[in-house]
């Protein structure tokens, strides 16, 4: 346990400017780290087996994490709350922060092995949405998540926080290849169902009926799926909506689609 | 069209410190105004019949709103982008802002007249969630929204923005009475179905089956519904979830529940 009282102390480098997305992306990639925020999420990260590099917190958060901290060999930097705010660039409401080592990502084959329902995210750019989608996938019975090369980072602080750590327990990886990602899943035995706003798409309930191994494919917040993914999916599905209304946002659409998909029958309609 | 070049110009008072929730709540209540942000949302507010007090924008946003501005008698304050940021306290990404007069809220009776599916929000405190719930209610076929006395303001800037203006077209009002709100809806012919995490609640699909006029009741982000509302609802419903997983957030739960409820049969099961 190490008390620190200077914001420029180099031991705090992992925690700098947590709201500066660009800076953080470089820093985290180059050092192979990610940040967990909040007592519950820090605990879950450690319990899921991620190795801490260090912890950072104000004195009042020490007690609640006592068992986690004493079970780890990593340094615990104890700072006044004002200093934590100065270093991180924001008021850390839930107190504790941890910097943890990223692990090598598994292969797609490992992630989907044995999975019946997989979420596939193309270019979801908002970390809040990535976290929300991991959380609802986990809650509603999906087994794994695959993210496209340009999708926002599931281990970014905000993704983790919004997802309440679902990213720690859900098997996931980044797809190495964008162009043939969906055909490759089809060859692996999945039926790829792309959620779209195309008016000629099938209602989601019908699109997933009878599908054994399902890969449910979601696109970007702005313009949805790329034409390549839309046309290379096995099926295109829509959530039926009231006329003249803006579509659901991607997290709400994901919640509905996961719910419907998780309750699909395992056999072909009428079969 | 009036060019303004001083941040302390009193004509900009409606637009000050848009990120300061406390300050804005007082200011908006006392002046009976609300703020619409972004070209699309400003347009929808005016088209829905709300009377503008004024508009505020950088020069490059004038053209896109030309028809809206010229059709209104309200002053258009044109300011450099840096000045807009100084006044409002943040970078206005989507350019245009409008300050509009609030209208007297209708009675509960007016709002629910003829409605088959109504959303009832108890103490949802996050404006983002209120906006998301209005949007998914509108998209998934709900007819009206009622908000409890302590629920966050549907006409707060962020609620409106996240809801893409659904609050302008969805009939809604604030419930005058908290304690007897649900029994009053039951007496008015609605079946009130409260979404809860209580393990003995009925699965949402079964809870809404056969319900003619439905009031779907959602609680706060943190602790859900109050005991009073939970026990005074006609039915308690749950979204079945994987064991050991945190519940869905309220916006995701609302999306799933609205989807399921909007597709319910109109007659009693087997009837």
């Amino acid at each position: 346990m190490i008390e620190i009282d200077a914001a420029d102390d180099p031991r705090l480098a992992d925690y700098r400017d947590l709201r500066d997305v660009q800076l953080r992306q470089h820093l985290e990639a180059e050092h192979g780290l990610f940040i967990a925020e909040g007592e519950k999420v820090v605990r879950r990260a450690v319990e899921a087996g991620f190795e801490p590099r260090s912890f950072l917190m104000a004195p009042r958060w020490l007690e609640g994490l006592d068992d986690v901290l004493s079970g780890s060999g990593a340094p615990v930097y104890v700072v006044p709350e004002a200093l934590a705010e100065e270093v991180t660039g924001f008021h850390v409401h839930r107190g504790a922060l941890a910097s943890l080592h990223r692990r090598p990502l598994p292969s797609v084959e490992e992630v989907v092995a044995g999975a019946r329902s997989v979420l596939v995210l193309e270019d979801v750019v908002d970390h809040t949405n990535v976290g929300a989608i991991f959380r609802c996938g986990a809650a509603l019975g999906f087994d794994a998540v695959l993210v496209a090369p340009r999708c926002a980072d599931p281990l970014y602080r905000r993704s983790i926080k919004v997802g309440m750590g679902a990213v720690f327990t859900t098997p996931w990886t980044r797809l190495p290849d964008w162009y043939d990602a969906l055909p490759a899943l089809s060859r692996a035995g999945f039926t790829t169902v792309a959620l779209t706003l195309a008016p000629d798409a099938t209602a989601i309930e019908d699109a997933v009926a009878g599908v054994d191994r399902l890969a449910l494919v979601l696109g970007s917040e702005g313009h949805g799926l790329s034409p390549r993914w839309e046309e290379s999916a096995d099926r295109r599905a829509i959530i039926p909506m009231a006329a003249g209304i803006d579509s659901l946002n991607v997290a709400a659409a994901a919640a509905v689609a996961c719910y419907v998909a998780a309750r699909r029958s395992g056999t072909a309609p009428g079969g």
Side-chain angles (χ1 to χ4, degrees), chain A:
Chain A
M1 210 159 293
I2 301 160
E3 289 188 29
I4 292 186
D5 56 12
D8 60 356
D9 191 302
R11 289 171 292 186
L12 303 185
D14 284 6
Y15 301 96
R16 288 206 192 290
D17 301 316
L18 290 180
R19 281 206 162 149
D20 185 332
V21 177
Q22 289 291 337
L23 180 149
R24 295 300 309 179
Q25 283 171 342
H26 294 303
L27 188 151
E28 297 189 6
E30 282 157 19
H31 295 281
L33 65 87
F34 70 94
I35 298 290
E37 177 188 355
E39 182 180 327
K40 191 183 277 187
V41 168
V42 166
R43 177 180 295 280
R44 289 180 180 179
V46 174
E47 287 175 355
F50 287 94
E51 190 196 334
R53 292 162 58 94
S54 66
F55 300 90
L56 173 71
M57 65 195 68
R60 67 184 171 114
W61 298 100
L62 288 169
E63 194 181 331
L65 279 167
D66 188 41
D67 56 322
V68 172
L69 302 178
S70 60
S72 155
V76 183
Y77 302 128
V78 182
V79 300
E81 301 204 20
L83 188 85
E85 188 167 344
E86 194 181 338
V87 171
T88 61
F90 72 110
H91 181 66
V92 184
H93 288 285
R94 300 212 177 132
L97 293 166
S99 173
L100 302 108
H101 289 284
R102 289 181 186 239
R103 292 196 289 231
L105 289 174
S107 68
V108 174
E109 292 66 34
E110 290 172 82
V111 167
V112 304
R116 181 171 180 255
S117 302
V118 176
L119 275 166
V120 189
L121 313 185
E122 195 184 16
D123 296 351
V124 179
V125 297
D126 185 313
H127 293 110
T128 302
N129 286 332
V130 171
I133 293 169
F134 266 82
R135 182 172 169 185
C136 82
L140 295 173
F142 271 68
D143 307 306
V145 180
L146 301 170
V147 301
R150 293 172 192 279
C151 182
D153 180 10
L155 281 180
Y156 193 76
R157 176 181 57 92
R158 240 185 101 76
S159 313
I160 295 173
K161 187 177 175 186
V162 171
M164 294 296 287
V167 66
F168 302 143
T169 47
T170 304
W172 72 275
T173 197
R174 195 170 287 276
L175 292 159
D177 175 43
W178 168 75
Y179 191 81
D180 268 327
L182 301 192
L185 282 166
S186 302
R187 285 194 300 273
F190 286 88
T191 300
T192 57
V193 176
L195 210 62
T196 166
L197 292 170
D200 63 342
T202 311
I204 179 73
E205 212 159 333
D206 301 326
V208 299
V211 170
D212 179 22
R213 302 186 80 188
L214 170 70
L216 179 65
V217 185
L218 306 172
S220 163
E221 293 88 351
H223 44 78
L225 288 166
S226 65
R228 167 62 189 168
W229 275 37
E230 194 156 315
E231 76 195 14
S232 63
D234 295 318
R235 302 181 184 180
R236 295 184 304 146
I238 193 166
I239 298 172
M241 276 177 265
I245 299 292
D246 290 286
S247 62
L248 297 171
N249 74 36
V250 68
V256 170
C258 286
Y259 177 85
V260 172
R263 303 167 74 80
R264 72 190 185 276
S265 58
T267 51

